[in-house]
Amino acid sequence: MMRTRPLKVALLGCGVVGSEVARIMTTHADDLAARIGAPVELAGVAVRRAGKAREGIAPELVTTDATALVKRGDIDVVVEVIGGIEPARSLITTAFEHGASVVSANKALLAQEGADLHAAAEQHGRDLYYEAAVAGAIPLIRPLRESLAGDKVNRVLGIVNGTTNFILDKMDSTGAGYQEALDEATALGYAEADPTADVEGFDAAAKAAILAGIAFHTRVRLDDVYREGMAEVTASDFVSAREMGCTIKLLAICERAEGGGSVTARVHPAMIPLTHPLASVRGAYNAVFVESDAAGQLMFYGPGAGGSPTASAVLGDLVAVCRNRLNGATGPGESAYAALPVSPMGEVVTRYHISLDVADKPGVLAQVATVFAEHGVSIDTVRQQGRQDGDGEASLVVVTHRASDASLTGTVEALRKLDTVRGVASIMRVEGE
């Protein structure tokens, strides 16, 4: 039997995502009510600037006083899609204090303040859901938090930023340079006017922190995530990748260290074999590859951003939270019982692709190989090619076996001191094997 009194929802933010949330709540009202067991009513919409007509939203619902809205006391669920740290953090904690559960899409806030927000939700007996904070419409948070709750997740490897994937895919498929591909992404609306958060890996790093925390039952903050941008990736890097049967992606990688005593979380460009499922992810799409003990290998794929996809995830959380509200229950909160340490990047072990500019003369390869051996880095393959311009230099490409980041850093520093090494053209990790 359906309850007739509606559950009241306050919406914080009415931009691309917020306006789509409001539209779906209105146009799908009957279906949402049937799925929840009670009607849902949009009780208020907080915006920065009033006076603008908002299609489908009654003007009397719009307010610039977000604090007063979440303090009303009759609000059942607050949907936060304004982003940033403040005032979002204060508004969410105020919502909990006044009896509302919260659905958020705020990756930056959750990556930085997630532990405190979970604690506030638990203190007041309310829900905090945030499926939309990572990978848009792709169901990912709930499978990790619920479907795999009985399993041991060992690795999460993914493309979690559509802008960067579009740029790298364009470079791979057309041979374009980084700036040319970025300009096209901007013209098509995939990249913001200031693309720093995307191309420097800040967006992906926030998502990696959230994923690692859930996957490994450990608190992982944004500051724990190693981050490396993709502005230095060149068209020649893609040529080298193709020669290895690889492509290049900006990856978020969360994994248990060997032995399982710690975890790592990192974001950086990496070569990935063309045989790996993530290599075929094109355009602005996202995909996340999960490896666990019992389930084995799982892949989640779909649109990772945009108004409608993100709103889909928000509405999914809204339905779940409203059901919990009707039943007088709460869903799963923070699980950080494992409390594993987060290892620094220097301890991360992976393979490396190093391209060197060297003197084109006998003995160079032997000198380079000696440096690698002295630093305990084993070479898998090596390729040397003289240049057609006859300038007395050659290109030397070395692919290592698995080595720590610290040992590779020491190796490169020593290589730079060799008279026969003119420069280090590029260094890239090789993942996904």
Side-chain angles (χ1 to χ4, degrees), residues 2-362:
M2 183 178 294
R3 192 181 83 164
T4 56
R5 184 172 68 83
L7 292 161
K8 294 189 176 183
V9 177
L11 178 62
L12 307 183
C14 197
V16 174
V17 176
S19 59
E20 191 65 8
V21 169
R23 184 192 69 78
I24 295 174
M25 285 185 63
T26 302
T27 58
H28 295 180
D30 291 342
D31 285 338
L32 290 173
R35 294 166 191 172
I36 292 169
V40 287
E41 174 188 310
L42 188 59
V45 181
V47 298
R48 288 189 176 90
R49 292 178 295 274
K52 173 184 175 182
R54 291 172 170 84
E55 185 178 354
I57 300 175
E60 61 269 21
L61 294 180
V62 178
T63 178
T64 57
D65 193 344
T67 301
L69 178 60
V70 300
K71 281 184 174 181
R72 274 177 38 172
D74 64 337
I75 300 297
D76 294 288
V77 185
V78 169
V79 174
E80 182 272 309
V81 289
I82 57 178
I85 305 302
E86 289 292 356
R89 182 184 183 280
S90 297
L91 291 170
I92 289 174
T93 54
T94 301
F96 291 142
E97 292 165 0
H98 287 78
S101 290
V102 173
V103 173
S104 176
N106 195 331
K107 55 187 170 288
L109 177 61
L110 289 159
Q112 185 167 312
E113 305 289 345
D116 289 344
L117 293 178
H118 275 293
E122 183 177 3
Q123 177 186 351
H124 296 285
R126 294 295 177 252
D127 276 323
L128 173 62
Y129 276 48
Y130 43 91
E131 184 68 65
V134 180
I138 305 172
L140 186 58
I141 301 297
R142 193 171 287 114
L144 284 172
R145 194 159 69 167
E146 299 178 29
S147 304
L148 296 174
D151 205 344
K152 179 184 177 183
V153 176
N154 295 310
R155 197 176 198 220
V156 180
L157 175 75
I159 299 164
V160 295
N161 183 279
T163 299
T164 56
N165 199 59
F166 177 89
I167 292 169
L168 292 173
D169 182 42
K170 184 62 61 174
M171 292 175 70
D172 187 22
S173 60
T174 69
Y178 167 77
Q179 189 60 51
E180 182 183 353
L182 173 58
D183 290 344
E184 181 171 352
T186 303
L188 293 173
Y190 291 119
E192 301 288 345
D194 179 1
T196 303
D198 295 323
V199 300
E200 292 299 327
F202 291 102
D203 175 84
K207 296 170 182 176
I210 295 169
L211 292 174
I214 296 170
F216 307 132
H217 305 279
T218 292
R219 286 179 178 170
V220 179
R221 290 172 54 87
L222 181 59
D223 292 345
D224 295 323
V225 181
Y226 172 83
R227 177 193 55 79
E228 191 177 307
M230 51 174 273
E232 301 302 317
V233 177
T234 66
S236 62
D237 289 328
F238 277 97
V239 173
S240 295
R242 283 192 291 272
E243 290 173 349
M244 288 182 58
C246 294
T247 188
I248 299 171
K249 300 291 186 182
L250 185 76
L251 298 177
I253 305 167
C254 314
E255 60 187 354
R256 295 180 187 270
E258 294 182 7
S262 65
V263 299
T264 62
R266 50 200 165 98
V267 170
H268 54 71
M271 293 183 180
I272 189 166
L274 293 173
T275 54
H276 194 283
L278 290 178
S280 62
V281 178
R282 311 302 297 270
Y285 275 74
N286 284 192
V288 177
F289 200 72
V290 178
E291 300 175 9
S292 68
D293 276 0
Q297 297 178 332
L298 306 170
M299 183 161 152
F300 302 84
Y301 169 85
S308 294
T310 306
S312 171
V314 169
L315 268 295
D317 278 350
L318 180 64
V319 168
V321 169
C322 286
R323 286 171 176 169
N324 291 343
R325 190 84 172 187
L326 286 180
N327 294 326
T330 55
E334 182 188 36
S335 176
Y337 74 90
L340 296 170
V342 181
S343 297
M345 187 62 189
E347 297 178 12
V348 170
V349 176
T350 188
R351 295 180 68 204
Y352 291 87
H353 176 282
I354 305 103
S355 179
L356 304 172
D357 294 327
V358 300
D360 189 6
K361 62 182 182 180

